Amino acid sequence: MAEDRNAWALARLELGSARRVLEIGFGPGRALRALLEWHPALEVYGVDRSEVAVRRAERWRAELPSAAKLHLSQGPLEELSPGLGRFDRILAINVNAYWLRPDIAFPPTLACLAPGGIFLAAFDPPSARRGEEIAAALKAGVSNLAGMSFAVERDAGARMTAVRVRR
C-alpha cells in the first residue's frame, strides 16, 4: 500500500527535466529508494528529523548502484539549510508540519526551491473532509507568497491528496 502511495506521489512530481530532488521527512525511505531506482541520474537528497530514519536509509543505500547520488541528513524541517542548494523538485509525504505549522514549514522549504521548481505535499487523510481541510491549510500557507501557483489533486483509489506548489 505504501508503495502505491509513493508511486502516486512521485508521478505528480513531473520529474522529466529535474536534476536535483529533495524529500523532506523520508521515514523508511521508500520514496527515496524508488526515485533512485527509477531515475538513477537524479541527485537525491533526504532530510528527516529522526536519527533512526537516517540510519535505516544508510543501511539500504549501499545496496543501490546509484548510492553515491543519495545524500542524507538529519534535522528538523525548520532548520533546513540553504547550504544544500536549490532543488528542482521537493517532496513531502505525510509531513504534517505543512498544515499544522505552515508559517514554520514553508519558508525554509520554498527557499530551497529553484525557479520553475515544484514542491509537492502528498498525504492520505483519514476522510475526504479532512483532506479538504488540509488542502485549504496548505493553500493558506502559500497564499501570501508571490510568484507561486497552487493546485490540488485527489486520487480516491490511493486515498491520496497532493498539493502542488510551482515557483
Side-chain angles (χ1 to χ4, degrees):
M1 184 71 159
E3 286 78 14
D4 292 342
R5 291 191 301 255
N6 289 331
W8 185 86
L10 291 174
R12 270 116 205 102
L13 273 179
E14 301 174 23
L15 291 168
S17 63
R19 294 180 319 161
R20 298 183 82 230
V21 177
L22 168 65
E23 182 179 10
I24 296 170
F26 58 82
R30 290 183 188 103
L32 288 175
R33 190 176 190 131
L35 278 167
L36 287 166
E37 289 174 349
W38 301 340
H39 304 278
L42 287 175
E43 284 287 328
V44 178
Y45 291 73
V47 175
D48 199 294
R49 69 175 35 245
S50 165
E51 287 183 42
V52 172
V54 174
R55 280 198 308 269
R56 203 175 292 152
E58 289 286 357
R59 282 197 295 269
W60 58 255
R61 170 191 196 177
E63 302 168 11
L64 298 174
S66 55
K69 297 214 173 227
L70 176 61
H71 312 276
L72 301 169
S73 62
Q74 188 267 326
L77 165 61
E78 52 273 14
E79 294 176 13
L80 190 61
S81 171
L84 291 174
R86 297 274 185 128
F87 294 91
D88 304 305
R89 305 294 183 265
I90 300 176
L91 172 67
I93 299 175
N94 287 324
V95 177
N96 67 8
Y98 290 102
W99 59 87
L100 295 177
R101 294 301 312 266
D103 56 322
I104 292 174
F106 277 110
T109 301
L110 297 179
C112 292
L113 189 61
I118 294 172
F119 166 67
L120 186 85
F123 52 94
D124 51 346
S127 68
R129 180 175 174 216
R130 183 66 181 133
E132 290 170 16
E133 292 168 358
I134 292 169
L138 286 164
K139 184 172 185 176
V142 297
S143 63
N144 61 343
L145 302 172
M148 303 280 181
S149 67
F150 182 88
V152 177
E153 184 176 350
R154 291 177 181 83
D155 178 70
R159 283 198 50 228
M160 293 292 288
T161 298
V163 173
R164 185 183 302 115
V165 178
R166 187 182 303 261
R167 170 166 277 173

